[in-house]
Amino acid sequence: MAKINGFLLFQCLSFIIFFNMTSLWAATYDDRKVYIVYIGSLPKGEYVTSSHHQSILQEVVEGSSVGDVLVRSYRRSFNGFAAKLTDLERQKLASMEEVVSVFPSRTLQFHTTRSWDFMGLNQSITRKHSVESNIIIGVIDSGIWPESESFSDEGFGPAPKKWKGACNGGKNFTCNNKLIGARYYTTDGTARDKDGHGTHTASTAAGNEVKDASFYGVSQGTARGGVPSARIAAYKVCNPSGCASTDILAAFDDAIADGVDIITVSLGGNIPVDFIKDAIAIGAFHAMAKGILTLNSAGNSGSNLGFVYSVAPWLMSVAASTTDRLFVDKVLLGNGATLSGYSINSFAMKGKKFPLVHGKEVSESCPEFSSQACNPGCINSSLVKGKIVMCSKFDGYTEVHKVGAAGSILFNDQYEKVSFVVSLPAVAVSMENFTSLISYKNSTKKPEAEILKTEAIKDFDAPVVAPFSSRGPNAILPDILKPDISAPGVDILAAVSPLAPISTDPEDKRRVKYSIESGTSMACPHAAAVAAYVKSFHPDWSPSAIRSAIMTTAWPMNSSKVNDAEVAFGSGHVNPVKAVNPGLIYETSKQDYIKMLCSIGYNESIVRSISGDNSTCPKGSNKLSAKDLNYPSMAAQVSRAKPFTVNFPRIVTNVGLANSTYRAKFFQKFTIISVKVVPEVLTFKSLNEKKPFVVTVTGKGLPESGTVVSATLVWSDGIHSVRSPIVVHTQQGQG
């Protein structure tokens, strides 16, 4: 009998082990999601795509056969494949030099405002509507247009009980249960938006779903904010001449007291300034102390290093990146050739071609350089009627429109893959295409062209940091990486004020309800909405916890597409769905920031003034540095051509599974640095348990000033992947 019982016990144990292993395999396999891995154009000559794709997958796939995960190969018109990948496998693929991009496969519908769908925050995503409806986003900007459909309160209940604000919008300004508060600090006596900027940012963050929104048919679909159930409070600090620091601080003062949960500020200067001289940094510190996360646009100073404006560690700095929808315009030449360029052109020439002339041919009073550029006063209106004028400068289109020409083809001296609204049929083309246009014009006696209306195409390179987006390193605090994150900021459709101009042309009298704009101003409210979305799942999380969740779950971006890599995009591209469940977080308290301020030379008098309490500089804080702050990213400035050893002490808090073990992995392409972490394994027994570790980076010396090298630390428990960029640089100040 004992033998039989033993045999039965063995069988039962075997079944349990088998069942658990099967369940574990199923869970692991179910965790795989279909991603598209885009490699680029097909190489010339003999090339077997399927075997190449399989060999790539063999390098990264763990726990499954390549045959099981490869969905299909693309091999007729371009090179790539679709595969079922884990998050860690996706990260490995994204870091490969030959891979252009890795992005989730999605079920496409009719066109909508693409940025949220691109980020995975589609209309069917899981939401906690009742909690989201209790979140208030404070928008410090140029005011708001309260009558916009994006701010209708249909279906909304009363304002949250915590709301302590007011509707002080001025004459003929009415709030509602969606737009629950408004204040103005400008001299025009109203919170009403005349510029359009504040309405655009507010609707991007929390606007309602509005069907059939478009810009004259371009980008037609459903416009919506990231958290459409959230409430909005608008604080107007800007007028046509700019945004005064005094007004900005007043807005922070009110917003904090009013009870907002998130503050978005798409404002800033051209160069960073010291924290105690920066109204946004000051306001954001006090917001942080009250549990409010502030998000600030990184700036639009372009690709020069060291010009990122929002640099304070207690706020979140947001860079701008592209989405997978690209607005392009085409030119049909008389010889049958087609040239492509960029613009938001709502006009159609309806199949008619017009004579093509160069600016210098229709000018009688300007030097050749000015006439080629179509500078103001240089184009003779009597010579351009019914003609398309070629200009060597983008801004030339305004003069061409003023004198009544049929259209304009412009040399794109602005930014690649960024489209701007034009006031007549016009398109900005590359130097190569502009040269081709000149060659065609010179080859025939009757050159002619037709400019087509703007269309949207798929951009397989996305997301890529916009060329105008300001870069780090952090000029004020070189040991804190800025910007923190990248979010959609190129060609964003959102609500605007019907009083606002829609282009830079003063002769353009058109007015619209929805328009397309670009800038880190557009990226900032995207990230603010993600912060609000995370907060709707974790109402009690601190600002630093929310920021950490967003940063450590970000999509890795392809550094081969952006030379400046992490100093351009920070931790990567926002990934709202992943941010809700980060696994581990880096928490930073008010006292941690005080200690950091002490470490960089702020005396106790200043520290107490900032903190508003009896804070003192802890003993030994002068031996610390900003890199010791418990920040989700890691950065250090080192001396050029000198050996270095840099330590980054960090503490993570477990917010994933109570019993979990995380193992560290590094990803790096630079061999001139060595990176290690102690310990390499973190084991947790309960939620909210904290574990310390130290990352050490060593090197024999970086070769020259302005050098930036990086690596990535990933803590993974098989379910969560907690990413932190590590940057070492020699950048000194701006430029």
Side-chain angles (χ1 to χ4, degrees):
M1 189 69 177
K3 290 183 178 179
I4 295 175
N5 288 340
F7 176 75
L8 290 174
L9 179 62
F10 173 75
Q11 281 194 317
C12 289
L13 288 173
S14 299
F15 175 79
I16 291 169
I17 293 169
F18 173 79
F19 178 81
N20 286 339
M21 291 179 66
T22 304
S23 300
L24 181 61
W25 177 88
T28 303
Y29 195 79
D30 288 343
D31 285 342
R32 293 182 176 275
K33 295 180 181 179
V34 178
Y35 289 85
I36 296 170
V37 182
Y38 176 58
I39 302 173
S41 301
L42 287 169
K44 296 178 181 179
E46 293 291 326
Y47 176 71
V48 181
T49 53
S50 57
S51 62
H52 182 216
H53 299 163
Q54 289 175 357
S55 67
I56 292 175
L57 282 170
Q58 284 173 347
E59 294 182 40
V60 301
V61 170
E62 297 176 357
S64 297
S65 70
V66 169
D68 289 335
V69 300
L70 181 63
V71 176
R72 69 171 67 244
S73 288
Y74 304 109
R75 52 195 177 199
R76 298 186 66 188
S77 302
F78 54 88
N79 190 6
F81 59 91
K84 297 175 182 177
L85 305 171
T86 65
D87 194 56
L88 188 59
E89 290 164 357
R90 175 183 61 82
Q91 292 175 31
K92 290 179 179 179
L93 282 168
S95 67
M96 288 184 173
E97 188 170 347
E98 65 184 300
V99 173
V100 176
S101 58
V102 182
F103 52 94
S105 175
R106 298 182 182 87
T107 302
L108 300 182
Q109 306 294 335
F110 293 109
H111 275 171
T112 63
T113 305
R114 278 293 301 161
S115 55
W116 293 115
D117 288 336
F118 175 66
M119 294 157 63
L121 203 64
N122 55 48
Q123 288 166 292
S124 62
I125 201 68
T126 301
R127 291 183 183 275
K128 295 191 174 183
H129 291 283
S130 60
V131 184
E132 185 176 303
S133 183
N134 201 46
I135 291 175
I136 306 165
I137 298 181
V139 183
I140 298 178
D141 212 296
S142 64
I144 198 166
W145 191 261
E147 293 83 8
S148 171
E149 292 175 77
S150 290
F151 311 126
S152 165
D153 68 349
E154 183 178 352
F156 281 82
K161 292 181 180 179
K162 64 184 176 183
W163 174 243
K164 300 176 183 177
C167 186
N168 294 332
K171 189 177 180 180
N172 298 323
F173 188 104
T174 304
C175 298
N176 58 31
N177 287 332
K178 171 69 175 181
L179 174 59
I180 60 174
R183 300 179 188 271
Y184 63 89
Y185 307 87
T186 52
T187 57
D188 57 357
T190 179
R192 191 172 291 279
D193 183 16
K194 300 174 183 177
D195 177 82
H197 190 274
T199 302
H200 198 282
T201 57
S203 63
T204 297
N208 299 322
E209 293 181 6
V210 179
K211 295 181 178 180
D212 297 322
S214 72
F215 178 81
Y216 291 102
V218 177
S219 187
Q220 186 164 3
T222 300
R224 60 188 172 92
V227 279
S229 296
R231 317 301 179 108
I232 297 171
Y235 301 85
K236 182 177 179 179
V237 298
C238 302
N239 56 39
S241 63
C243 317
S245 294
T246 52
D247 296 337
I248 293 170
L249 269 179
F252 267 105
D253 191 26
D254 282 333
I256 295 167
D258 286 347
V260 304
D261 297 289
I262 302 289
I263 295 176
T264 177
V265 190
S266 291
L267 313 171
N270 294 324
I271 58 173
V273 295
D274 194 290
F275 305 140
I276 57 175
K277 298 178 181 179
D278 179 4
I280 296 174
I282 293 169
F285 183 90
H286 292 285
M288 173 275 301
K290 294 294 185 179
I292 304 165
L293 176 62
T294 299
L295 299 98
N296 187 205
S297 46
N300 298 334
S301 296
S303 58
N304 288 331
L305 296 183
F307 279 85
V308 58
Y309 179 78
S310 52
V311 294
W314 45 81
L315 56 74
M316 196 163 191
S317 176
V318 188
S321 53
T322 59
T323 71
D324 62 347
R325 183 168 64 179
L326 186 63
F327 292 116
V328 298
D329 218 343
K330 293 180 181 178
V331 181
L332 306 182
L333 303 181
N335 63 359
T338 300
L339 302 178
S340 292
Y342 303 99
S343 71
I344 304 297
N345 168 37
S346 61
F347 308 96
M349 290 185 164
K350 300 179 180 179
K352 184 178 180 180
K353 289 185 172 60
F354 294 85
L356 192 62
V357 296
H358 201 294
K360 65 182 180 182
E361 298 171 334
V362 290
S363 174
E364 297 178 346
S365 57
C366 291
E368 184 172 323
F369 176 81
S370 295
S371 59
Q372 285 179 338
C374 305
N375 283 344
C378 289
I379 304 300
N380 188 326
S381 61
S382 65
L383 300 178
V384 298
K385 299 296 182 182
K387 297 178 181 178
I388 294 175
V389 183
M390 299 165 53
C391 304
S392 61
K393 185 179 178 183
F394 177 81
D395 289 343
Y397 85 88
T398 60
E399 183 68 11
V400 173
H401 179 232
K402 181 179 179 181
V403 298
S408 186
I409 303 174
L410 315 154
F411 166 57
N412 188 359
D413 62 345
Q414 300 287 308
Y415 304 111
E416 185 77 5
K417 288 190 175 183
V418 181
S419 297
F420 296 97
V421 174
V422 290
S423 54
L424 79 168
V427 57
V429 300
S430 65
M431 173 64 81
E432 180 182 357
N433 281 346
F434 199 74
T435 302
S436 298
L437 185 66
I438 293 173
S439 298
Y440 159 69
K441 182 181 177 302
N442 294 336
S443 69
T444 179
K445 292 182 179 180
K446 294 184 177 180
E448 58 181 6
E450 177 190 359
I451 302 171
L452 303 184
K453 186 177 180 178
T454 295
E455 61 178 308
I457 64 171
K458 185 86 169 180
D459 183 6
F460 287 100
D461 288 340
V464 174
V465 176
F468 56 75
S469 189
S470 295
R471 269 61 168 170
N474 188 331
I476 302 300
L477 208 56
D479 290 347
I480 296 292
L481 181 63
K482 293 287 178 172
D484 291 305
I485 202 77
S486 176
V490 177
D491 299 339
I492 304 301
L493 176 74
V496 292
S497 164
L499 300 179
I502 62 174
S503 71
T504 57
D505 183 357
E507 299 293 323
D508 190 353
K509 304 303 182 183
R510 296 174 297 165
R511 297 295 182 263
V512 295
K513 294 181 179 180
Y514 291 85
S515 191
I516 299 169
E517 298 184 14
S518 298
T520 55
S521 284
M522 283 66 249
C524 185
H526 276 93
V530 175
Y533 181 68
V534 173
K535 190 174 181 65
S536 71
F537 286 83
H538 306 284
D540 298 329
W541 274 14
S542 68
S544 65
I546 295 171
R547 178 188 61 199
S548 174
I550 296 172
M551 290 174 66
T552 60
T553 59
W555 292 347
M557 294 178 72
N558 194 331
S559 60
S560 67
K561 291 292 179 182
V562 182
N563 291 334
D564 305 322
E566 286 83 0
V567 297
F569 53 69
S571 294
H573 192 280
V574 285
N575 187 347
V577 179
K578 287 284 187 182
V580 169
N581 184 20
L584 304 175
I585 55 173
Y586 295 79
E587 291 220 69
T588 316
S589 67
K590 175 183 172 182
Q591 196 55 42
D592 292 329
Y593 294 121
I594 294 297
K595 187 188 299 184
M596 185 217 71
L597 291 174
C598 294
S599 75
I600 62 174
Y602 282 68
N603 60 46
E604 287 191 351
S605 175
I606 292 177
V607 164
R608 286 175 181 169
S609 296
I610 294 172
S611 67
D613 54 31
N614 292 323
S615 294
T616 59
C617 289
K619 186 176 181 180
S621 59
N622 59 334
K623 297 180 181 179
L624 301 174
S625 68
K627 66 179 175 55
D628 299 317
L629 185 69
N630 199 41
Y631 211 70
S633 59
M634 305 173 202
Q637 181 186 54
V638 298
S639 300
R640 182 179 67 86
K642 293 183 179 179
F644 60 86
T645 297
V646 181
N647 293 316
F648 298 100
R650 292 292 187 269
I651 299 172
V652 286
T653 303
N654 180 26
V655 294
L657 300 175
N659 291 295
S660 54
T661 299
Y662 287 79
R663 289 176 171 80
K665 287 190 177 182
F666 289 103
F667 299 92
Q668 65 181 99
K669 64 178 182 180
F670 295 96
T671 58
I672 59 175
I673 59 172
S674 176
V675 189
K676 70 176 184 178
V677 61
V678 177
E680 296 180 342
V681 177
L682 301 176
T683 300
F684 297 90
K685 301 296 184 183
S686 62
L687 288 175
N688 298 314
E689 185 179 356
K690 299 179 184 294
K691 291 285 184 180
F693 64 88
V694 178
V695 172
T696 301
V697 183
T698 57
K700 295 182 179 179
L702 301 185
E704 57 188 44
S705 180
T707 298
V708 179
V709 297
S710 63
T712 302
L713 167 65
V714 178
W715 289 105
S716 178
D717 65 349
I719 298 173
H720 307 92
S721 292
V722 187
R723 297 177 60 255
S724 290
I726 305 166
V727 173
V728 180
H729 65 93
T730 57
Q731 180 68 20
Q732 301 285 337
Q734 291 87 23

